[in-house]
């Protein structure tokens, strides 16, 4: 240990360190870890247990930044617990379901007392002492309940703190700032502007009224115990996106990143332009290592998911106090409650809203096609010399529907694979479990879409009640057709003869003959905007049923954006978005009839995620070299 390091450690240990923190550091030093690395591990894990710190050090053994003197960033938040917290979490959940994710969802409910500031690793325990000492001095002045008043604008919704109570909180923040600056040599900036508890931020303006209605169901006077909590984050990744690994990935090349399910990955959006499609380059929160990983192995996580809770001071009505670590019995790191009681007031308002949300439009990408698995030459793989179909792989359909013209037309109008059929039926069963009432089923004339619609209806147990309306206007952007011509689709008569439940009486809004080969993007946008409006107009608005539309990857954006009043994406952005939409990907819109508008909400079921399964010949590698 360097002389200066030893002197600093001794000074801090003798004067300020708690017995527990001192023991933790001494244990790591006894294991042979240098002081600066041991202190870094303790700071990164909240100085809780020797096991946490040792595990962090083991995981970061290959971290290239392990020796870098980069401190953590800390912030002081005032967080609600109890009934008020339960209601806020219910609002978080329902606002996300009905209006999609907004900036507020990145962090748990809180009032910011001090902005993020840096603190050297060897001085972190002094912040704990500061929190306890300042908390003790303000404990008797802390209000039993904090005055909260709802404030709303086109991009912000939240509670403002009443002036009298806000002044007490500001004095507390000032005292913490002053003490931390003197004791731990930190430059802490207290929040002295309008104190607030954000409910929603940077949302679409047309969601404002829905969010307000949900927020009005939160009783700000609910029972609440307020907790001043100290959190930290890695300052290097403040402006990065945070991803969560869904599956384990073992590197195939030296520049790839090893990830386990549940790992968090920091990704800089500005560094992805030269990365191969389907891949991202990022840094593992668990190991500190950097490399490439498949994007479809991840999902977006919240900004605060990687934060560490260090200590907290709980304000109670009596003058007693206590500090706790992250393992607070009823609140976890993300502010979620274990076994939360559902807010009755929000449940009631949802019942009222469901009575007025008359219709829904569910737009769905078709299931897996055979050409997506076996390539464009799939038909050549399963035709005999005399032109008869046979099943070359178990993922090929057992038979192909009969058509009067040549079977070669299936090349540009391919059917679902067996996995695609399974996917579609599974989605239908999931929709049935969620009691989604489908009243109308529309499909693109592509065979894969009609088959998807059929099997979704079977999963819903509606195949004898709801018929498929084949709408040519729902077809893919024709510029993307490899043949440069409109495919020769099966006729309604042929589809009916193949036992597909087709509505023979339906006449499309956009005749098949009107589809233009290699249409421009403007023509495609004009077609899809007109078709979705015609479909919605044609379906009676008195019922509450869902209009289910089965189309292509491009359908999700092109049929929902005009419905909710958003302009079409730029053509280059549009192509990038479509490439990332998986089989059976969905978007869901609900109608607010009293406001004469539609809003985007979360789909009623999650998308099926699965991995690739390559072709296998048992001879290769088993009996042959």
């Amino acid at each position: 240990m360097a002389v200066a390091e030893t002197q600093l450690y001794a000074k801090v240990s003798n004067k300020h360190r708690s017995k527990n923190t001192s023991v933790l550091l001494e244990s790591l030093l006894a294991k042979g870890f240098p002081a600066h690395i041991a202190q870094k591990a303790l700071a990164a894990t909240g100085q809780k247990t020797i096991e946490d710190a040792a595990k962090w050090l083991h995981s970061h053994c290959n971290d290239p930044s392990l020796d870098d003197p980069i401190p953590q960033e800390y912030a002081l938040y005032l967080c609600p617990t109890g009934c008020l917290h339960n209601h806020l979490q219910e609002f978080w959940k329902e606002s996300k379901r009905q209006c999609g994710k907004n900036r507020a969802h990145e962090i748990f409910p809180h009032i910011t007392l001090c902005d993020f500031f840096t603190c050297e690793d060897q001085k972190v325990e002094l912040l704990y002492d500061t929190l306890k000492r300042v908390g003790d001095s303000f404990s008797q002045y802390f209000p039993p309940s904090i005055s909260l008043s709802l404030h709303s604008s086109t991009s912000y919704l939240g509670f403002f703190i009443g002036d009298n109570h806000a002044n007490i909180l500001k004095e507390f923040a000032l005292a913490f700032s002053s003490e931390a600056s003197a004791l731990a040599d930190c430059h802490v900036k207290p929040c002295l502007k309008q104190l607030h508890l954000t409910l929603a931020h940077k949302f679409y303006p047309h969601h404002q009224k829905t969010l307000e209605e949900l927020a009005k169901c939160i009783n700000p006077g609910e029972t609440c115990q307020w907790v001043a909590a100290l959190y930290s984050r890695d300052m290097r990744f403040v402006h990065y996106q945070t991803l969560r690994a869904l599956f384990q990935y073992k590197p195939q090349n030296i520049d790839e990143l090893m990830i386990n399910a549940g790992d968090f990955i920091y990704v800089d959006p500005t560094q992805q332009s030269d990365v191969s499609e389907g891949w991202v380059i990022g840094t593992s929160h668990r190991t500190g290592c950097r490399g490439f990983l498949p994007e479809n192995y991840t999902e977006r996580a919240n900004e605060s998911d990687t934060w560490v809770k260090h200590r907290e001071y709980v304000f109670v009505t009596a003058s007693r106090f206590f500090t706790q670590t992250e393992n607070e019995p009823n609140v976890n790191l993300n502010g979620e409650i274990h076994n939360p009681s559902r807010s009755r007031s929000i449940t009631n308002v949802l019942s009222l809203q469901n009575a007025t949300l008359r219709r829904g439009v569910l737009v769905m990408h078709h299931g897996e096609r055979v050409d997506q698995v076996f390539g464009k030459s799939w038909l050549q793989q399963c035709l005999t010399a005399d032109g008869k179909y046979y099943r070359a792989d178990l993922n090929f359909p057992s038979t192909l529907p009969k058509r009067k013209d040549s079977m070669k037309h299936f090349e540009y109008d391919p059917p679902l694979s067996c996995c695609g059929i399974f996917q579609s039926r599974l989605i239908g069963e999931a929709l049935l479990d969620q009691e989604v009432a489908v009243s109308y089923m529309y499909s693109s004339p592509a065979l894969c879409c009609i088959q998807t619609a059929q099997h979704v209806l079977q999963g819903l147990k509606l195949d004898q009640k709801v018929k498929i309306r084949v709408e040519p206007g729902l077809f893919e952007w024709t510029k993307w057709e490899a043949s440069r011509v409109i495919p020769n689709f099966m006729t309604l008569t042929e589809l009916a003869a193949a036992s597909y439940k087709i509505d023979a009486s339906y006449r499309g809004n956009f005749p098949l003959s009107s589809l233009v080969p290699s249409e421009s993007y403007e023509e495609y946008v004009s077609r899809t905007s007109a078709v979705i409006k015609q479909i919605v107009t044609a379906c009676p608005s008195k019922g509450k049923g869902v209009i289910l539309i089965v189309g292509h990857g491009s359908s999700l954006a092109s049929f929902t954006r005009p419905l909710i009043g958003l302009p079409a994406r730029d053509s280059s952005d549009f192509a990038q978005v479509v490439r990332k939409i998986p089989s059976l990907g969905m978007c869901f819109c609900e109608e607010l009839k009293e406001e004469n508008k539609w809003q985007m909400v979360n789909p009623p079921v999650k998308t099926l995620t699965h991995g690739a399964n390559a072709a296998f010949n048992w001879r290769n590698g088993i009996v042959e070299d």
Side-chain angles (χ1 to χ4, degrees):
M1 192 187 301
V3 175
E5 238 181 345
T6 306
Q7 291 174 343
L8 177 60
Y9 166 61
K11 177 181 177 182
V12 172
S13 178
N14 292 336
K15 289 193 174 183
H16 299 294
R17 300 186 74 96
S18 67
K19 180 180 180 181
N20 181 55
T21 304
S22 181
V23 169
L24 293 178
L25 181 57
E26 288 170 356
S27 297
L28 292 176
L29 295 176
K31 293 177 182 291
F33 292 108
H36 69 288
I37 291 180
Q39 289 162 340
K40 189 169 190 174
L42 289 171
T45 56
Q47 300 196 358
K48 296 177 179 65
T49 67
I50 187 65
E51 290 78 12
D52 288 342
K55 183 179 179 181
W56 188 93
L57 287 165
H58 176 74
S59 298
H60 285 258
C61 60
N62 295 317
D63 184 349
S65 67
L66 192 59
D67 284 315
D68 294 347
I70 304 173
Q72 295 275 310
E73 275 192 325
Y74 298 82
L76 184 63
Y77 287 165
L78 188 67
C79 303
T81 65
C83 292
L84 177 58
H85 181 274
N86 293 357
H87 292 331
L88 290 169
Q89 283 299 121
E90 191 63 32
F91 172 86
W92 246 245
K93 174 183 174 182
E94 291 302 330
S95 62
K96 189 175 181 180
R97 186 187 73 82
Q98 294 194 35
C99 303
K101 190 173 181 179
N102 64 67
R103 192 70 179 87
H105 290 117
E106 293 288 343
I107 308 176
F108 41 83
H110 70 280
I111 299 170
T112 303
L113 297 178
C114 296
D115 292 332
F116 275 98
F117 59 92
T118 58
C119 179
E120 296 175 38
D121 294 337
Q122 67 269 24
K123 298 179 181 179
V124 174
E125 69 282 0
L126 304 180
L127 294 180
Y128 305 163
D129 293 343
T130 298
L131 178 60
K132 180 179 180 298
R133 290 167 62 176
V134 176
D136 287 350
S137 63
F138 275 82
S139 161
Q140 58 184 320
Y141 306 112
F142 197 87
S145 64
I146 293 179
S147 173
L148 304 173
S149 58
L150 189 62
H151 174 80
S152 177
S153 70
T154 54
S155 63
Y156 175 85
L157 180 73
F159 289 117
F160 281 1
I161 315 303
D163 288 344
N164 291 339
H165 293 164
N167 289 336
I168 296 175
L169 300 183
K170 289 176 183 179
E171 289 177 11
F172 174 78
L174 270 170
F176 176 85
S177 170
S178 177
E179 188 100 0
S181 298
L183 195 60
D185 195 26
C186 299
H187 178 64
V188 183
K189 182 181 178 182
C191 292
L192 301 179
K193 295 182 180 180
Q194 174 67 63
L195 295 185
H196 55 275
L197 192 159
T198 299
L199 298 176
H201 182 41
K202 291 188 178 180
F203 48 84
Y204 286 123
H206 63 273
H207 286 152
Q208 181 180 358
K209 188 168 182 180
T210 301
L211 293 169
E212 285 177 356
E213 290 302 314
L214 286 173
K216 288 175 182 176
C217 298
I218 303 172
N219 177 8
E222 282 281 8
T223 303
C224 177
Q225 198 168 53
W226 292 90
V227 175
L230 198 62
Y231 287 90
S232 75
R233 68 184 183 188
D234 193 322
M235 64 184 296
R236 296 172 297 168
F237 306 112
V238 170
H239 299 297
Y240 285 45
Q241 290 180 351
T242 304
L243 304 180
R244 179 188 289 104
L246 297 171
F247 317 103
Q248 184 186 59
Y249 180 75
K250 295 182 179 179
Q252 308 297 311
N253 298 291
I254 194 171
D255 60 352
E256 294 175 4
L257 184 64
M258 171 69 186
I259 57 173
N260 295 329
D263 280 359
F264 293 104
I265 314 297
Y266 299 112
V267 172
D268 184 353
T270 65
Q271 296 179 357
Q272 307 305 313
S273 57
D274 296 329
V275 178
S276 300
E277 184 178 337
W279 291 77
V280 295
I281 184 168
T283 302
S284 169
H285 170 73
R286 179 176 60 86
T287 67
C289 297
R290 177 178 168 83
F292 294 94
L293 66 150
E295 186 177 14
N296 63 353
Y297 275 50
T298 66
E299 65 177 0
R300 283 292 299 273
N302 294 330
E303 176 186 331
S304 61
D305 286 345
T306 58
W307 293 2
V308 176
K309 182 191 282 187
H310 287 253
R311 297 292 184 272
E312 59 183 28
Y313 188 98
V314 181
F315 292 98
V316 292
T317 51
S319 59
R320 56 190 174 86
F321 61 87
F322 58 94
T323 56
Q324 292 184 324
T325 62
E326 180 182 320
N327 299 318
E328 228 280 325
N330 66 331
V331 185
N332 69 18
L333 175 60
N334 296 316
E336 296 173 350
I337 294 291
H338 296 290
N339 301 318
S341 59
R342 184 174 175 86
S343 165
R344 292 184 180 178
S345 54
I346 290 187
T347 303
N348 293 338
V349 80
L350 289 179
S351 299
L352 290 172
Q353 287 187 349
N354 287 335
T356 58
L357 291 171
R358 296 321 227 177
R359 293 180 294 173
V361 172
L362 181 61
V363 184
M364 181 183 296
H365 188 348
H366 59 71
E368 179 186 87
R369 289 192 320 247
V370 290
D371 63 313
Q372 293 173 318
V373 183
F374 301 103
K376 294 297 182 184
S377 62
W378 69 272
L379 194 57
Q380 299 173 20
Q381 302 173 40
C382 49
L383 286 181
T384 61
D386 57 355
K388 293 183 179 179
Y389 174 81
Y390 75 98
R391 196 178 193 183
D393 185 283
L394 284 180
N395 202 20
F396 280 111
S398 56
T399 61
L400 292 179
K402 293 181 180 180
R403 53 189 305 165
K404 294 178 181 178
D405 51 23
S406 172
M407 285 186 64
K408 291 186 177 180
H409 286 301
F410 282 124
E411 184 176 355
Y412 297 112
D413 186 24
L416 294 180
S417 66
C418 279
C419 285
I421 292 171
F422 168 74
Q423 291 172 334
S424 304
R425 193 165 302 180
L426 190 64
I427 288 292
E429 291 171 353
L431 291 170
L432 178 65
D433 289 342
Q434 294 299 316
E435 300 180 353
V436 176
V438 173
S439 299
Y440 303 94
M441 173 69 84
Y442 286 82
S443 172
S444 160
L447 177 58
C448 59
C449 296
I450 293 169
Q451 289 179 318
T452 299
Q454 174 91 347
H455 291 289
V456 168
L457 286 175
Q458 288 178 356
L460 277 163
K461 298 183 180 179
L462 291 175
D463 51 312
Q464 301 302 319
K465 298 179 181 179
V466 177
K467 292 188 176 182
I468 302 169
R469 295 178 172 181
V470 180
E471 174 54 65
L474 297 176
F475 186 57
E476 180 69 274
W477 183 12
T478 60
K479 180 182 177 181
W480 286 347
E481 281 301 295
S483 63
R484 299 302 179 189
V485 298
I486 305 302
N488 194 340
F489 301 116
M490 291 180 67
T491 66
L492 297 185
T493 302
E494 289 173 332
L495 291 168
S499 300
Y500 295 112
K501 304 298 182 181
I502 304 299
D503 186 347
S505 64
Y506 176 72
R507 296 293 176 263
N509 295 292
F510 199 92
L512 189 59
S513 59
S514 298
L515 284 176
V516 179
S518 298
E519 65 189 332
S520 68
Y521 184 60
E522 290 71 22
E523 289 173 325
Y524 172 69
V525 168
S526 176
R527 163 165 65 91
T528 53
S529 297
V531 167
I532 187 61
K533 291 173 183 176
Q534 290 165 348
I535 287 176
V536 169
T537 302
C539 297
S541 58
K542 293 181 180 179
K544 300 180 185 177
V546 169
I547 303 168
L548 204 163
I549 296 174
V550 180
H552 307 265
S554 58
S555 303
L556 271 67
S558 57
F559 294 124
T560 58
R561 288 177 71 89
L563 199 58
I564 63 175
L566 292 179
R569 288 186 176 276
D570 181 84
S571 58
S572 58
D573 294 337
F574 179 71
Q576 292 299 322
V577 169
V578 171
R579 287 192 183 99
K580 298 180 180 180
I581 296 174
S583 299
L584 278 302
M586 289 174 280
C587 282
F588 192 46
C589 297
E590 285 183 333
E591 183 186 33
L592 294 174
K593 189 177 179 183
E594 72 282 1
E595 300 176 33
N596 193 29
K597 69 179 183 181
W598 293 76
Q599 66 175 3
M600 191 87 81
V601 297
N602 285 337
V605 299
K606 292 185 178 295
T607 302
L608 172 68
T609 304
H610 58 81
N613 195 50
F616 172 67
N617 186 326
W618 62 272
R619 293 182 182 278
N620 298 337
I622 306 298
V623 297
E624 297 178 355
D625 294 331

